Amino acid sequence: MAWVVLIVSGVLEAVWATALGRAEGFTKLAPSIVFLVALVLSMVGLSYAVKTLPTGTAYAVWVGIGASLTVAYGMFSGTEPVSVAKVLLIAGLIACVVSLKLVHDGS
């Protein structure tokens, strides 16, 4: 269950990061509210996950999911330039996140 919560928390990290970019210094109400709600839920989920998962592994997976989804969304929406190098690096990041899960399960 901790892994499922951690993955959802990583997705919420991408939500709050994207909302933060759209909040324009917290001058826009809706993205600011989305940011705050997603941030709190993401942190609560991460704190739940580290009760049973090693903190370093959980944090790396959480950040990896959030960062890769944030960049992917930016490229998909056109707010971030797309390049082959970026796509390959994000794929590598995702491979590392999956590998951390596999290594954890094998230990």
Side-chain angles (χ1 to χ4, degrees):
M1 184 63 165
W3 282 104
V4 172
V5 171
L6 182 62
I7 290 167
V8 171
S9 295
V11 171
L12 287 168
E13 183 196 3
V15 170
W16 67 251
T18 301
L20 180 61
R22 294 183 179 193
E24 296 183 16
F26 299 111
T27 60
K28 291 194 171 184
L29 183 60
S32 297
I33 291 170
V34 170
F35 164 77
L36 288 171
V37 171
L39 176 67
V40 168
L41 292 174
S42 181
M43 291 295 170
V44 167
L46 178 61
S47 77
Y48 173 83
V50 298
K51 287 181 183 177
T52 56
L53 299 173
T55 301
T57 299
Y59 183 70
V61 169
W62 181 76
V63 168
I65 291 169
S68 59
L69 287 176
T70 302
V71 172
Y73 178 78
M75 289 190 297
F76 181 77
S77 67
T79 59
E80 179 126 4
V82 179
S83 70
V84 172
K86 266 189 188 178
V87 171
L88 291 174
L89 289 166
I90 294 302
L93 181 58
I94 292 167
C96 288
V97 167
V98 170
S99 297
L100 280 171
K101 164 80 166 93
L102 296 174
V103 167
H104 179 269
D105 288 348
S107 59

